[in-house]
Amino acid sequence: ALKQDIDLVKDAIAKASPGSDGLWKSRWASSTNKNGDRQLKKSKKKTSKNQNSQCEADLAVAQGQIEELSAPTLLGIQTTATCRVERVRTGEYKLISETVSADTLIFSDRPSTIEYAVPTEDFIRDFDDIFSDSPPNTGLTFVQDGDIVGPF
């Protein structure tokens, strides 16, 4: 998916770049003077308002995609002393804990260096809004008798 996003950005930038699709023609043209000598003369730039508008629109899309791809990826950690997993139905399970920590720790992947704590109550309340586009990736690590079991 990331490669497709990057390709979309590259295509939008290419469309908005000089020389693409004839939107920005060379500003210089070759001509012959009275003596038959070749000379360069500056030609007038010929682009229509529609071409400029399309170019600006393509550039805006590309810039938006670059900003989206540049946004930091946030990760969260919740800890609990005890929990249990219950089967809801085939292929669906529920993780239940009565002792979740008061805060959910949030941090970013590199190259950003973001870290903060949010009250777990707020995190749970806003969960559907935070992950409205897609469900989060999750991992579980259990500690039993001092030994780490997982991650799963």
Side-chain angles (χ1 to χ4, degrees):
L2 180 59
K3 182 176 178 353
Q4 290 173 329
D5 291 340
I6 291 170
D7 288 343
L8 283 172
V9 171
K10 285 180 180 178
D11 290 344
I13 290 172
K15 286 180 184 176
S17 297
S20 69
D21 210 29
L23 291 180
W24 293 342
K25 306 240 185 239
S26 172
R27 303 270 331 253
W28 297 92
S30 175
S31 65
T32 307
N33 66 14
K34 293 180 198 175
N35 300 330
D37 296 328
R38 307 266 313 149
Q39 64 184 30
L40 287 178
K41 69 176 187 176
K42 196 169 186 177
S43 64
K44 293 183 180 177
K45 186 176 178 182
K46 296 179 183 179
T47 57
S48 71
K49 287 184 181 181
N50 286 343
Q51 288 172 323
N52 286 337
S53 295
Q54 182 60 48
C55 181
E56 289 169 0
D58 290 344
L59 184 57
V61 168
Q63 288 170 331
Q65 290 172 336
I66 289 169
E67 286 174 19
E68 185 177 316
L69 292 172
S70 301
T73 301
L74 297 177
L75 306 161
I77 297 175
Q78 293 178 328
T79 59
T80 184
T82 62
C83 68
R84 67 184 186 278
V85 177
E86 290 183 3
R87 181 177 173 194
V88 176
R89 61 181 140 278
T90 303
E92 187 176 328
Y93 297 86
K94 185 186 288 188
L95 178 66
I96 300 169
S97 176
E98 310 297 331
T99 59
V100 176
S101 61
D103 291 324
T104 297
L105 306 173
I106 307 293
F107 63 99
S108 64
D109 203 358
R110 289 183 178 165
S112 302
T113 54
I114 299 169
E115 71 251 357
Y116 60 93
V118 62
T120 296
E121 184 177 311
D122 294 350
F123 182 80
I124 292 169
R125 182 192 65 228
D126 298 336
F127 188 88
D128 289 338
D129 292 333
I130 295 168
F131 299 106
S132 62
D133 292 339
S134 64
N137 293 327
T138 60
L140 298 173
T141 301
F142 295 98
V143 178
Q144 184 175 7
D145 299 326
D147 293 327
I148 296 175
V149 181
F152 299 102

